[in-house]
Every structure is written in C-alpha cells, then in structure tokens.
Amino acid sequence: MAARFFTWLKSPAAREYFFSTHFWGPVANWGLPLAALADLRKDEEVISGAMTTALASYSMVFMRFAWRVQPRNYLLFACHATNASAQSIQLGRFVNYWYFGGRDKKLENKPAAQQVAEVAQDTAKAAVSK
C-alpha cells in the first residue's frame, strides 16, 4: 500500500493534483475550521449568532459542491464537514446561552466564583507576607 502511494507520488498525476486548485483550495480553506475549533473554548458572550449561522450555511452548501463536483474533492468535503460541525456546535452554544437560560445560570454562579477568587487572593497575600 505504501509502495503504491510513493509510486503515485512520483507520477505526473500527483504533480498535477498538488499543483491544482483541488489541493490548494481546501488547504487554504482549512483556516476556517481550525479557527472554529479554537473558538469552541471561548466565552459564549462573544459568539455572533448571525456570523455563525452564515458560516455553518456556507460550509453546508460547499460540502454538497465538493461532493457533486467531478472528480470528487474529498479534501474540500472534509474541510467543510469539519467547519459545519464546529459552527453547529457554536450555534448551539449561542442559542443555549442567549435563549435557554445559559446566561442567567452563568450570572448566578459568578458571585460564587468571585468569592473563591477573593479567598485565593487573600491566601496568596498571607503567604507572601510571611
């Protein structure tokens, strides 16, 4: 299997593939899903519902395009499938935070977190003063 791949890698077909938009387009496009995956750790307060909806829709449309174009562009399909999944998760987080009480729960828990932080600061000050 590996020998067959390396033989193909040396062929003109491989050079044609690696110097085409079927390869470089998806490679350049991977910035979108990588950024979306990194944003999954960010606070829900900064999620834009309109932009997340637009990016999820965009990726779903181009997933279909990548599947329908001949020859099929599996690299582009994987890129957009990853982005559509990440954006859908972000959209779920946005809706939960703004419309299903996630923000209220976070605000209720905030004073407790501030109390813990104050206790930690007092403990650190006491340790430094010794």
Side-chain angles (χ1 to χ4, degrees), residues 3-15 18:
R4 185 175 176 205
F5 174 74
F6 285 115
T7 303
W8 176 80
L9 204 54
K10 296 175 187 175
S11 73
R15 283 190 297 277
F18 286 120

Side-chain angles (χ1 to χ4, degrees), residues 35-104:
L37 291 171
D39 286 349
L40 290 175
R41 293 192 176 108
K42 290 189 179 176
D43 190 9
E44 293 93 345
E45 186 84 27
V46 298
I47 298 172
S48 168
M51 181 56 96
T52 302
T53 303
L55 287 170
S57 301
Y58 158 81
S59 284
M60 288 179 201
V61 167
F62 278 93
M63 275 174 53
R64 185 181 189 297
F65 168 79
W67 189 257
R68 299 289 297 183
V69 70
Q70 291 297 324
R72 285 193 174 142
N73 195 332
Y74 297 110
L75 188 57
L76 185 64
F77 182 82
C79 172
H80 284 296
T82 303
N83 192 42
S85 299
Q87 296 298 342
S88 297
I89 292 169
Q90 283 290 76
L91 192 57
R93 291 178 64 216
F94 174 81
V95 169
N96 181 49
Y97 184 76
W98 288 105
Y99 299 107
F100 290 122
R103 184 170 188 260
D104 298 332

